Amino acid sequence: MTLRPAAAAALLLATLSACNALPEDYAPKHKKAQPTAKATLAAAPSPVPTLAADNPARLAAARAVVPAKLDSYSFDGDDKLIDTPFGPVLLRHGHNPDAGHSEPGIIAAYYLRAEGDRFALVNSYPDAAVSGSFGNLTRWSVSGAFTGLPVIVVEGGGTWQGCTVGLTDLIELRPIGPAPIASITTTFDTSGMTEAKGEAYEGTLTDVHRDSDFTVRYKGTDSFAERYVRRGNRFVLEGGDSRITGC
């Protein structure tokens, strides 16, 4: 028997409706899949709100739009190009080998805008961080542990009249520019001031809870801890007075 095209189509539709032979767990390919535990973890915010972006090509492109030298400071070559929520930022460690005792080292921050495989300079902050003596700071890094924005962690210090003091400064990279959010004395040594033994302490930042608090644990002449808590846009010492009295 030969069916007309219209009759054949009607028969096919009727047959498909009547059979309904698809398995109960069948789902069309376009159906939105339910999220798995792995997918949920992958979509969760990273615990570090900044990503290293300093691959050689991008770093070279960023350096091309910022000053090669800054006043009397030369750059060490340990630049860091980071991706922030508001765009890429190039951080440069400047030092002056001919500086006097009281002159610090610097971290310069350059806010950039990506334009294809190149960058445009948006804003310059040549003294985003200032620390240390003899034209240099001790060490520096970038952390995502303290706040929801990248934070420059800068260590620097010096010795004055036999008293050695080292500071750790936290500078938050905000969309409107770098801003200091804490300054902690993490090295203190008075042994050069007196014939007696003096006091000596070394502090380490630990137990960091983002946007909430962190603890500085000291060892040396005595062992103790001090807690810094977030108050507005800064971290302040709980209780107000540190046991490290200064020189």
Side-chain angles (χ1 to χ4, degrees):
M1 178 178 64
T2 302
L3 295 177
R4 295 178 181 274
L11 178 60
L12 176 60
L13 289 174
T15 303
L16 291 174
S17 299
C19 289
N20 195 23
L22 295 173
E24 292 183 0
D25 59 352
Y26 171 81
K29 291 183 179 179
H30 65 272
K31 183 178 179 181
K32 186 176 180 180
Q34 295 300 314
T36 63
K38 184 176 181 180
T40 301
L41 290 174
S46 167
V48 179
T50 177
L51 297 175
D54 48 352
N55 66 64
R58 292 194 74 200
L59 193 53
R63 286 172 174 157
V65 297
V66 302
K69 190 176 175 65
L70 183 61
D71 298 328
S72 58
Y73 289 97
S74 300
F75 296 114
D76 266 353
D78 57 346
D79 303 339
K80 299 183 189 299
L81 177 62
I82 61 172
D83 286 326
T84 76
F86 49 86
V89 175
L90 177 65
L91 300 173
R92 311 200 77 184
H93 166 207
H95 71 106
N96 179 4
D98 300 318
H101 182 202
S102 62
E103 296 179 68
I106 62 168
I107 301 294
Y110 298 98
Y111 284 35
L112 309 174
R113 180 178 62 253
E115 296 182 344
D117 57 356
R118 299 183 180 183
F119 294 100
L121 179 61
V122 177
N123 277 309
S124 299
Y125 302 94
D127 55 355
V130 177
S131 186
S133 60
F134 289 108
N136 206 0
L137 48 87
T138 304
R139 63 180 64 87
W140 69 289
S141 61
V142 181
S143 174
F146 293 94
T147 75
L149 292 170
V151 171
I152 312 172
V153 182
V154 179
E155 299 176 51
T159 301
W160 291 266
Q161 298 180 339
C163 182
T164 299
V165 176
L167 298 175
T168 297
D169 295 316
L170 306 181
I171 297 94
E172 186 177 57
L173 294 175
R174 297 175 181 167
I176 58 173
I181 57 174
S183 183
I184 307 106
T185 300
T186 44
T187 300
F188 183 69
D189 189 342
T190 63
S191 59
M193 297 179 63
T194 175
E195 294 181 359
K197 186 177 181 181
E199 293 181 288
Y201 298 100
E202 289 288 339
T204 303
L205 277 63
T206 63
D207 305 326
V208 180
H209 302 104
R210 186 187 295 172
D211 287 319
S212 177
D213 62 273
F214 60 86
T215 298
V216 184
R217 301 191 182 279
Y218 290 94
K219 294 181 179 180
T221 303
D222 192 8
S223 296
F224 60 95
E226 296 184 339
R227 182 169 172 260
Y228 285 73
V229 295
R230 181 126 193 194
R231 295 285 184 268
N233 289 327
R234 294 181 63 90
F235 288 91
V236 298
L237 178 60
E238 194 173 46
D241 296 319
S242 174
R243 287 184 58 180
I244 307 293
T245 57
C247 297

